[in-house]
Amino acid sequence: MQEKHHVVVVGGGFGGLQLVNDLRGAPVRITLVDSRNHHLFQPLLYQVATTLLATSEIAWPIRNLYRDRPEVTTLLGEVVGVDPANKSVVLASGKPVSYDTLVLATGATHAYFGHDEWAPVAPGLKTLEDATTIRRRVLLAFERAELEEDPAKRDALLTFTVIGAGPTGVELAGIIAEMAHRTLPGEFRRIDTRQARVVLVEAGPRILPAFTEELSAYAARELAKLGVEVRTGAAVTDCTDAGVMIGDVFVPSRTLVWAAGVQASPAARWLGIEADRAGRAIVEKDLSAPGRPDVFVIGDTASVMQEEGKPVPGIAPAAKQQGAYVARVIRARLEGKPAPGLFRYRHQGSLATIGKRAAIIDFGRIKLKGALAWWIWGIAHIYFLIGTRSRFAVAWSWLWIYLSGQHSARLITQKETLRNDG
Amino acid sequence: MQEKHHVVVVGGGFGGLQLVNDLRGAPVRITLVDSRNHHLFQPLLYQVATTLLATSEIAWPIRNLYRDRPEVTTLLGEVVGVDPANKSVVLASGKPVSYDTLVLATGATHAYFGHDEWAPVAPGLKTLEDATTIRRRVLLAFERAELEEDPAKRDALLTFTVIGAGPTGVELAGIIAEMAHRTLPGEFRRIDTRQARVVLVEAGPRILPAFTEELSAYAARELAKLGVEVRTGAAVTDCTDAGVMIGDVFVPSRTLVWAAGVQASPAARWLGIEADRAGRAIVEKDLSAPGRPDVFVIGDTASVMQEEGKPVPGIAPAAKQQGAYVARVIRARLEGKPAPGLFRYRHQGSLATIGKRAAIIDFGRIKLKGALAWWIWGIAHIYFLIGTRSRFAVAWSWLWIYLSGQHSARLITQKETLRNDG
């Protein structure tokens, strides 16, 4: 008996899971490799960083998702390279995993534009550990301010700077401001948390550049209402543990969060193919690697152009569409049918929230803002969460926050005490 | 105007919180110092270690509990000593906090009976980080076993050893066995998790020595049904990352958990007073330190005898009774009334669970076992959780596990990958 066609999928994010889901019933066996044991619902990661949600509410063990599909093998392992000549993937353990078809869906991480030395003082937000690190630093800053006698040092502890005003930066700044101005007052005795400053720095001319100018201006006004200082057209030139240099002005700020740039995972390097400036592998219009029809690259680590010459955005719906498309290509090939045409991205809309009451949505012809947009945003995110359990847990946490004003996950963990953290 | 009497409470566990709660309305100002920002519901910590509950479901920010009591100041700080002559507490930051009355409720940690070198390979269970460490190791052991080709190494990865058969050890062993035998089968492709061994080692003649022989024997039978190998009268003589030496037999086992001994926090040393073998401060019958009527020691760090000569057990209800008692003493003193008599411990009962369906309860005259005991145990624990939000969240998680068989918090976090952990 001939062994079934072996599809190796690297990465259990939105693209990888959609692909595996859509290959159900196909005449293949699948190996899904990820360096984490869990799928992470990244669109809500900022809510873990800001104490709204618990880690386990937005993460789910990957192998549990495929327990009923014996043809799917889940491997916890770190891929360090691809050997396309021998059609195999190399794991950090040294073990090769051979494939008939390979799909790289390895995502992206944050980039510091050549300033990797900023990483320790201005953590980005891509993993659960990033989120709990930011959560710890934000909570510890208030705790330290309560203990600090020197007014200048106290002000620096009560200044939070978010660098980059895309959806993640806006969402982080909004919730941190709400915490300081609405959740925490009354809990401290020496400081007034309402005195805290939240600075949102954006090098471009306006926040949320993916939205229309009108929605962007609305978001800026809502942020201002929450007490966020928005600084556009302002480039960050240095980050230290004492503060941030914006242009040539130093802002003392002990808590920095990086939400400015992304860098693709090294899929292009592994394959020896061309990458764009952000390191994304430039793929063919059917998402295969140039000259390697049996290798596909999807999601945040692929550089794909839309028909109008704009790049496909690095968001969850795009990754899912690519995963679904590649599943159709693989099925067609195995069935000896013609390929399903080239990949076409359908933009379903852009969403961003500002604090816990307002959001903006751009569905193309329909544009929404305010409380209604916030409710649509919330329902959409609950709908897209994986698993009944997570949906109920997140819905319950949000309802609780809505009713009580109290956040659910205000934990300082990881043994960092007042002494050993700068 | 004279400043109000200043009560400093060190430790936001069960004893410390009960004391602060019961001082509501008293003519005092209170400073509550803890090295953590959260109160931890330790009786359910083993459920975090075994993926049943999320960290934030059993922990709550301390300062949030007292937001409506302006006379209570919460300080995040590590106490490193007491200066009874100057009536002040010394923080790690070097800052002294002076008191009129001091209550030390600093708890206990695990003890390795002079073998601290076992700590890295056999973690104990006292903090949230301990719980996530054990959770990570248990989950990683299955993941590594799935990748392991060598049968002997695979068997060692699939052998879990819990050292110490008090309630925590029994609870850990029961849930790990249930995970291996009931939750995880079907998710792995190369290993059969039902082949996993869970060994529970106890130096004494029987498990759960605080219970009657009959209940203890019942618990041992239930553990055996879950597949736990119970080894009583068996002393652990060495722990390494390869396994555990039981007497002179080596059991290859890559995951060890320490549930054997406790060591009180150094309150006795700070005060320069006598301690018992476990380091607990030997206090007067009104819980004050000998010769220091303005200093009280309560909870797991105090050594108190019952009338029948048995020590008060180191459990949450005992700590709460002591906190409540000291609050009455402080009130009486401030009101110039006679002291409320000596501290008397009222034992309300002992509870332990075996897996997710059985429990034993000893209320003195009434003894229960089986499913009914399990329900009483569950309802009691939900009742004693702090805050409506935690009660709902834990009830929901348990209901979900009950209905679906799936655990909610199967996360491997903290960046430990397959490569860098032994």
Side-chain angles (χ1 to χ4, degrees):
Chain A
M1 197 187 91
Q2 207 194 331
E3 267 223 284
K4 274 185 181 166
H5 188 89
H6 187 205
V7 179
V8 173
V9 183
V10 185
F14 289 104
L17 293 193
Q18 187 70 54
L19 176 91
V20 176
N21 293 344
D22 284 12
L23 285 177
R24 181 187 283 268
V28 293
R29 59 194 179 92
I30 300 172
T31 300
L32 175 55
V33 188
D34 199 295
S35 60
R36 299 299 181 129
N37 83 324
H38 49 269
H39 168 72
L40 181 62
F41 193 80
Q42 274 190 351
L44 291 178
L45 193 55
Y46 80 94
Q47 296 213 349
V48 174
T50 52
T51 75
L52 295 174
L53 291 177
T55 50
S56 59
E57 289 174 339
I58 61 160
W60 198 251
I62 295 170
R63 66 169 67 258
N64 180 258
L65 300 173
Y66 300 113
R67 62 192 181 281
D68 299 329
R69 287 182 59 188
E71 84 280 15
V72 179
T73 300
T74 306
L75 285 189
L76 181 68
E78 197 183 332
V79 169
V80 292
V82 176
D83 180 353
N86 291 309
K87 298 189 77 158
S88 79
V89 160
V90 185
L91 298 185
S93 62
K95 208 171 135 173
V97 179
S98 59
Y99 61 81
D100 296 309
T101 297
L102 173 65
V103 183
L104 297 174
T106 40
T109 183
H110 26 266
Y112 292 89
F113 308 130
H115 287 282
D116 286 350
E117 71 276 15
W118 297 349
V121 291
L125 185 61
K126 279 287 174 188
T127 67
L128 283 180
E129 289 82 7
D130 292 338
T132 50
T133 297
I134 293 170
R135 179 175 80 184
R136 182 179 66 241
R137 291 194 185 183
V138 169
L139 292 172
L140 271 180
F142 289 107
E143 296 291 342
R144 290 188 176 124
E146 176 84 347
L147 294 165
E148 183 58 62
E149 314 270 342
D150 180 326
K153 287 184 181 170
R154 196 163 52 218
D155 290 349
L157 282 164
L158 288 176
T159 303
F160 302 85
T161 306
V162 178
I163 300 151
T168 299
V170 166
E171 286 163 340
L172 284 167
I175 303 286
I176 295 171
E178 278 193 339
M179 273 178 74
H181 295 277
R182 300 189 185 170
T183 311
L184 296 180
E187 296 196 13
F188 292 83
R189 302 288 171 256
R190 301 172 183 184
I191 57 169
D192 180 352
T193 61
R194 287 166 299 192
Q195 303 296 318
R197 288 173 64 196
V198 181
V199 183
L200 178 63
V201 191
E202 167 60 44
R206 60 188 179 92
I207 69 167
L208 298 169
F211 291 81
T212 63
E213 291 204 16
E214 193 209 327
L215 289 177
S216 163
Y218 168 79
R221 284 195 305 275
E222 288 296 310
L223 281 175
K225 274 191 212 163
L226 294 176
V228 175
E229 298 173 29
V230 178
R231 302 210 183 167
T232 49
V236 166
T237 50
D238 197 15
C239 297
T240 73
D241 60 7
V244 57
M245 188 74 87
I246 304 176
D248 46 15
V249 178
F250 184 74
V251 178
S253 171
R254 293 289 301 274
T255 310
L256 313 182
V257 184
W258 188 261
V262 291
Q263 173 71 36
S265 58
R269 192 155 47 76
W270 294 340
L271 296 170
I273 64 177
E274 214 181 325
D276 69 7
R277 255 179 20 150
R280 288 185 291 249
I282 297 172
V283 292
E284 302 288 357
K285 286 191 189 306
D286 68 350
L287 308 182
S288 66
R292 304 273 178 206
D294 49 0
V295 178
F296 296 89
V297 187
I298 64 174
D300 286 1
T301 196
S303 176
V304 188
M305 285 296 152
Q306 300 182 54
E307 280 162 9
E308 58 269 41
K310 283 199 302 185
V312 172
I315 58 178
K320 285 177 163 182
Q321 290 178 25
Q322 295 177 0
Y325 170 81
V326 171
R328 288 200 304 277
V329 173
I330 292 172
R331 278 178 184 274
R333 285 188 190 170
L334 291 174
E335 292 167 8
K337 291 183 184 165
L342 303 177
F343 173 71
R344 285 182 62 180
Y345 172 63
R346 296 171 308 284
H347 189 66
Q348 292 159 332
S350 303
L351 300 86
T353 52
I354 307 106
K356 284 177 287 184
R357 294 289 187 279
I360 57 175
I361 301 184
D362 184 344
F363 285 135
R365 266 170 307 179
I366 301 169
K367 293 178 179 31
L368 293 170
K369 55 182 191 252
L372 175 66
W374 188 86
W375 281 99
I376 292 173
W377 171 91
I379 290 165
H381 279 73
I382 286 175
Y383 176 79
F384 284 115
L385 278 169
I386 286 178
T388 313
R389 192 250 159 207
S390 300
R391 287 188 195 121
F392 273 90
V394 170
W396 163 245
S397 289
W398 285 350
L399 183 69
W400 175 254
I401 292 164
Y402 195 85
L403 297 176
S404 73
Q406 299 303 325
H407 296 187
S408 330
R410 275 173 50 193
L411 297 181
I412 298 174
T413 52
Q414 296 171 29
K415 285 182 180 154
E416 200 172 28
T417 68
L418 286 173
R419 267 194 297 186
N420 57 25
D421 184 42
Chain B
M1 198 185 90
Q2 207 194 331
E3 268 223 286
K4 274 185 182 166
H5 188 90
H6 187 205
V7 179
V8 172
V9 184
V10 185
F14 289 104
L17 292 194
Q18 187 71 53
L19 175 90
V20 177
N21 293 344
D22 285 12
L23 285 177
R24 181 188 282 268
V28 292
R29 59 193 178 93
I30 300 173
T31 300
L32 176 54
V33 187
D34 199 295
S35 60
R36 300 298 181 131
N37 83 324
H38 50 268
H39 168 72
L40 181 63
F41 193 81
Q42 273 189 352
L44 291 178
L45 193 55
Y46 80 94
Q47 296 213 349
V48 173
T50 52
T51 76
L52 295 174
L53 292 177
T55 49
S56 58
E57 289 174 339
I58 61 161
W60 197 250
I62 295 169
R63 65 169 67 258
N64 180 259
L65 300 172
Y66 300 113
R67 63 192 181 281
D68 299 329
R69 288 182 59 189
E71 84 280 15
V72 179
T73 300
T74 306
L75 285 189
L76 181 69
E78 199 183 329
V79 169
V80 293
V82 175
D83 180 354
N86 291 309
K87 297 189 79 160
S88 79
V89 160
V90 185
L91 299 184
S93 62
K95 208 172 134 172
V97 179
S98 59
Y99 60 80
D100 297 309
T101 298
L102 173 65
V103 183
L104 297 174
T106 41
T109 184
H110 25 266
Y112 292 89
F113 308 129
H115 286 282
D116 286 350
E117 71 276 15
W118 297 350
V121 291
L125 185 62
K126 279 287 173 188
T127 66
L128 283 180
E129 288 82 7
D130 292 339
T132 51
T133 297
I134 292 170
R135 180 176 80 183
R136 182 179 66 242
R137 292 195 183 182
V138 170
L139 292 172
L140 271 179
F142 288 107
E143 296 290 343
R144 290 190 176 123
E146 175 84 346
L147 294 166
E148 183 58 61
E149 314 271 343
D150 179 324
K153 288 183 180 171
R154 198 162 52 219
D155 290 350
L157 282 164
L158 288 175
T159 303
F160 301 84
T161 306
V162 178
I163 301 152
T168 299
V170 166
E171 286 163 340
L172 284 168
I175 302 286
I176 295 171
E178 278 193 337
M179 274 177 75
H181 295 277
R182 301 189 184 170
T183 311
L184 296 180
E187 297 195 13
F188 291 82
R189 301 288 173 256
R190 302 173 182 182
I191 57 168
D192 180 353
T193 61
R194 285 167 299 192
Q195 303 295 319
R197 288 173 65 195
V198 180
V199 184
L200 178 63
V201 191
E202 168 60 43
R206 61 188 178 92
I207 69 168
L208 297 169
F211 290 82
T212 63
E213 291 203 19
E214 193 209 327
L215 289 177
S216 163
Y218 168 79
R221 284 196 304 276
E222 288 295 310
L223 280 176
K225 274 191 212 165
L226 294 176
V228 175
E229 298 172 30
V230 178
R231 303 210 184 166
T232 50
V236 166
T237 50
D238 198 14
C239 297
T240 72
D241 60 8
V244 58
M245 188 74 90
I246 304 176
D248 47 14
V249 178
F250 184 74
V251 178
S253 171
R254 293 288 300 274
T255 311
L256 313 181
V257 183
W258 188 262
V262 290
Q263 173 72 34
S265 57
R269 193 154 46 77
W270 294 340
L271 297 170
I273 64 175
E274 212 180 328
D276 70 7
R277 255 181 17 150
R280 287 185 292 249
I282 297 171
V283 291
E284 302 288 356
K285 286 192 189 307
D286 68 351
L287 307 184
S288 66
R292 304 272 178 206
D294 49 0
V295 178
F296 296 90
V297 187
I298 63 174
D300 286 1
T301 196
S303 176
V304 188
M305 284 297 153
Q306 300 182 54
E307 281 163 9
E308 58 271 42
K310 283 198 302 185
V312 173
I315 58 178
K320 285 177 161 183
Q321 290 178 25
Q322 295 177 2
Y325 170 81
V326 171
R328 287 200 303 276
V329 174
I330 292 172
R331 278 178 184 274
R333 285 188 190 170
L334 291 174
E335 293 166 6
K337 291 183 182 163
L342 302 178
F343 174 71
R344 284 182 62 180
Y345 171 64
R346 296 171 308 284
H347 189 66
Q348 291 157 333
S350 303
L351 299 85
T353 53
I354 308 105
K356 285 177 286 184
R357 294 290 188 276
I360 57 176
I361 301 184
D362 184 346
F363 285 134
R365 266 171 306 180
I366 301 169
K367 293 177 179 31
L368 293 170
K369 56 182 189 249
L372 175 65
W374 188 86
W375 281 99
I376 292 173
W377 171 91
I379 290 164
H381 279 72
I382 286 175
Y383 176 80
F384 283 116
L385 276 168
I386 286 178
T388 314
R389 193 250 159 208
S390 300
R391 285 186 197 124
F392 273 90
V394 169
W396 162 245
S397 289
W398 284 351
L399 183 69
W400 174 255
I401 292 163
Y402 195 83
L403 297 176
S404 74
Q406 299 303 326
H407 296 187
S408 330
R410 274 173 50 195
L411 296 182
I412 300 174
T413 52
Q414 295 172 27
K415 286 183 181 152
E416 200 173 26
T417 69
L418 286 173
R419 267 194 298 185
N420 57 23
D421 185 43

